[in-house]
Amino acid sequence: MVRATDLKGSRGPLLGSDEDLSRLRRHWVDAAAAAVNTTSSASGQYHCPAAAGWSGPAEKALMGRAGDWSEWKCREEKALARGEKQQWNRRTRSLNAPSPIQQFGPCGRIMKNSAMVMTIQDPASQRLTWYKPPLTVLVIKKVRDASVLQPFVQLVKWLIEEKRMVVFVEQSVMDDPLLLNNSGFSVVKEKLMTFRDGKDDLTDKIDFIICLGGDGTLLYASLLFQQSVPPVMAFHLGSLGFLTPFEFENFQEQVTNVLEGHAALTLRSRLRCIIMRKGDECGSNLLTSSSSSSSSSGSGVGGKGQQRQGLPPPTNLLVLNEVVIDRGPSPYLSNIDLFLDGKHITSVQGDGLIVSTPTGSTAYAVAAGASMIHPSVPAIMVTPICPHSLSFRPIVVPAGVELKISVPPESRNTSWVSFDGRNRQELLHGDSLRVTTSIYPVPSICAQDQISDWFDSLAECLHWNVRKRQKHLDELSDLTHSSSNDTLDSLEHTDQLDS
């Protein structure tokens, strides 16, 4: 361990020379590296010394001997001005922003408190690991699509016979007449476990989820698990497939790699949406169980989201893409109030409002004019739908805030709300919707990594910035030989003579 007294020469004060400054800097580098190396590599987490303000015995020794911490900072800035290299400031392949300095100018500094000590997880280092070998797997397939039947049969048969796993499917899948006539499916039919959406609770029963189809299958998996979600591996067998990065051709190798823990993860944040009815002062809706919340989805994957008979509409839901508040069948403008952490931000007059996650920014929100946000960015996007104001642009707010959307008593009409396109219900005058970032994300397994998968989806599914490349100038001499007195008419006349 390097002590503060070791940095002082035989004479003179501490930090009396540039050599002392360099030695001190190396001490901080070693301390930061030790803090990083002592953390768990499986979790991808590290303790950031800068977030703690570099507080510790070494700092106290420096404060006592140097007299003033700002003196050290001043000498450090002078060293930077002389162009000294700082190896410890080089950026690594991280998706986190660099930790900001804690001092601003000669006097300003962030006040130290216990909240400054935090654990920062780099999204680029998020890797899947299993505490124990996964035993149960839920297979979700797209309904009413004959092209998915054969891949579905191949997958479940391989999982049961080769991997010795317990396979769960929805009961409606077993009733599919096309599957009943499949000879390969009859071999494994009796070995499948089934569940009924809205009646059976899958919490703590599923270790792993495989989706076969489009983005709707991933949204349905999110709906089924209203708390902790098992890792999701999505195969592209649908029409768009922005959230389904895996191809099915070599599914055996890809699934084996995931089961062995060789996969990157994208933690897709979700929004906790709670409806507060007028007069509900005690907030009883906040205590609505997750099982009852997930029990009111539509009739299977790809359903229309109609409410089931006899079941009350859910008032507490997690959404992966967005929650939409619109004017419904009314011909009048939607008039709703928007609050952020209790402060009134604005009144929305238009067709409605979209509150989306970064994952949902490439769905309905981007069609309404919003920007596209990488799913690892902690944020909530607020996008108006056809606002009656040209200056009402989409905004992005921090993920930690609470949004409240309410229907004021003076509004000409009520509003309607839907959650990921399902569970549509009416918001009456005085009702409100509270939206916050949930602590339960969807762990989506990457085919490559977070950056490659996202930009590949932008290019292949949305054709982002696809255009013909501009042609180069073959004959630059045409420009150099032309004089400033040449006009467009004279140049066109010369071209006609040449032809």
Side-chain angles (χ1 to χ4, degrees):
M1 181 178 67
V2 180
R3 299 183 179 180
T5 54
D6 297 333
L7 299 179
K8 187 166 79 79
S10 58
R11 294 184 179 181
L14 181 66
L15 305 178
S17 66
D18 294 338
E19 181 181 358
D20 291 336
L21 180 62
S22 298
R23 295 179 63 187
L24 180 61
R25 181 178 295 111
R26 288 195 299 271
H27 163 71
W28 289 119
V29 176
D30 295 339
V36 174
N37 293 332
T38 55
T39 54
S40 169
S41 59
S43 63
Q45 297 180 345
Y46 63 92
H47 181 75
C48 180
W54 287 355
S55 59
E59 180 190 351
K60 293 179 181 178
L62 289 174
M63 290 290 289
R65 294 178 179 270
D68 188 9
W69 180 256
S70 62
E71 178 183 348
W72 183 87
K73 295 295 293 183
C74 181
R75 291 178 181 272
E76 182 191 38
E77 293 171 359
K78 291 180 180 179
L80 290 176
R82 290 194 296 269
E84 287 190 9
K85 294 183 179 180
Q86 285 189 309
Q87 300 293 335
W88 53 281
N89 248 355
R90 288 184 178 178
R91 290 299 309 280
T92 58
R93 190 176 184 277
S94 170
L95 297 184
N96 278 333
S99 299
I101 62 172
Q102 306 294 309
Q103 183 165 335
F104 315 106
C107 301
R109 181 169 182 167
I110 295 179
M111 183 175 62
K112 295 181 182 179
N113 55 67
S114 58
M116 293 179 62
V117 181
M118 63 186 70
T119 299
I120 302 175
Q121 182 171 0
D122 178 16
S125 66
Q126 292 167 175
R127 307 287 300 181
L128 174 64
T129 183
W130 304 98
Y131 290 110
K132 56 184 179 179
L135 176 63
T136 58
V137 55
L138 170 62
V139 179
I140 300 175
K141 81 172 191 70
K142 185 178 181 181
V143 297
R144 296 187 294 274
D145 190 344
S147 63
V148 184
L149 296 182
Q150 192 59 34
F152 171 76
V153 173
Q154 293 179 18
L155 175 65
V156 296
K157 186 176 181 181
W158 180 78
L159 289 172
I160 293 174
E161 297 179 354
E162 298 295 332
K163 294 301 180 180
R164 305 296 180 184
M165 300 187 73
V166 179
V167 179
F168 282 76
V169 297
E170 192 176 5
Q171 181 60 45
S172 61
V173 174
M174 304 290 288
D175 301 333
D176 191 336
L178 296 178
L179 270 180
L180 296 178
N181 298 328
N182 190 298
S183 58
F185 181 69
S186 60
V187 178
V188 297
K189 178 181 177 181
E190 301 301 326
K191 300 179 181 179
L192 295 176
M193 302 291 291
T194 62
F195 74 96
R196 294 183 182 274
D197 177 24
K199 295 184 178 180
D200 299 321
D201 186 12
L202 295 178
T203 304
D204 298 330
K205 293 182 180 179
I206 304 298
D207 300 327
F208 181 37
I209 301 176
I210 297 180
C211 295
L212 301 178
D215 295 346
T217 57
L218 191 65
L219 294 175
Y220 185 58
S222 170
L223 179 66
L224 288 176
F225 296 87
Q226 289 292 293
Q227 292 185 6
S228 178
V229 184
V232 183
M233 185 178 188
F235 286 93
H236 173 42
L237 294 171
S239 54
L240 185 61
F242 192 90
L243 305 178
T244 54
F246 288 93
E247 298 294 337
F248 192 76
E249 282 70 19
N250 58 336
F251 74 91
Q252 298 93 337
E253 178 183 354
Q254 298 180 92
V255 175
T256 299
N257 287 336
V258 171
L259 293 178
E260 293 176 353
H262 307 307
L265 282 178
T266 296
L267 298 183
R268 300 184 179 275
S269 63
R270 294 193 289 177
L271 298 178
R272 169 71 68 183
C273 304
I274 302 172
I275 294 179
M276 304 293 293
R277 297 299 180 183
K278 181 180 180 180
D280 190 4
E281 299 294 339
C282 62
S284 59
N285 287 331
L286 294 173
L287 304 178
T288 303
S289 64
S290 299
S291 58
S292 64
S293 298
S294 62
S295 66
S296 54
S297 61
S299 54
V301 184
K304 298 297 183 180
Q306 301 296 329
Q307 298 297 330
R308 292 195 180 95
Q309 292 183 351
L311 290 179
T315 57
N316 189 336
L317 277 172
L318 296 187
V319 298
L320 178 59
N321 266 356
E322 73 277 307
V323 54
V324 178
I325 305 95
D326 59 71
R327 59 188 175 93
S330 173
Y332 297 111
L333 288 176
S334 177
N335 189 356
I336 53 181
D337 290 332
L338 176 63
F339 298 82
L340 191 150
D341 282 344
K343 176 180 175 58
H344 182 264
I345 300 301
T346 189
S347 294
V348 181
Q349 297 185 94
D351 282 350
L353 194 69
I354 305 170
V355 181
S356 60
T357 65
T359 296
S361 68
T362 51
Y364 192 1
V366 74
S371 297
M372 296 181 290
I373 305 178
H374 189 277
S376 294
V377 177
I380 300 176
M381 174 167 282
V382 180
T383 306
I385 306 173
C386 298
H388 203 250
S389 170
L390 295 179
S391 62
F392 194 175
R393 310 307 304 159
I395 59 173
V396 178
V397 297
V401 304
E402 180 188 66
L403 296 175
K404 183 178 116 174
I405 301 101
S406 63
V407 182
E410 64 273 12
S411 176
R412 290 188 178 184
N413 58 310
T414 62
S415 295
W416 289 77
V417 59
S418 58
F419 309 89
D420 277 344
R422 295 172 177 265
N423 301 303
R424 184 169 173 82
Q425 52 190 291
E426 189 175 13
L427 290 180
L428 303 177
H429 294 88
D431 293 347
S432 63
L433 174 70
R434 297 178 185 270
V435 182
T436 58
T437 299
S438 171
I439 62 173
Y440 300 108
V442 173
S444 177
I445 299 174
C446 302
Q448 303 175 65
D449 56 71
Q450 296 187 12
I451 299 299
S452 300
D453 283 12
W454 194 66
F455 279 98
D456 286 348
S457 294
L458 289 183
E460 296 174 9
C461 301
L462 301 184
H463 302 290
W464 178 61
N465 198 29
V466 174
R467 59 153 299 195
K468 291 183 178 180
R469 184 173 292 275
Q470 187 181 37
K471 294 182 179 180
H472 66 282
L473 298 176
D474 294 329
E475 297 180 1
L476 295 177
S477 58
D478 290 347
L479 296 178
T480 58
H481 292 164
S482 62
S483 64
S484 59
N485 294 327
D486 292 336
T487 63
L488 290 177
D489 293 338
S490 63
L491 292 176
E492 291 178 358
H493 181 67
T494 303
D495 293 340
Q496 292 176 358
L497 292 178
D498 293 341
S499 60

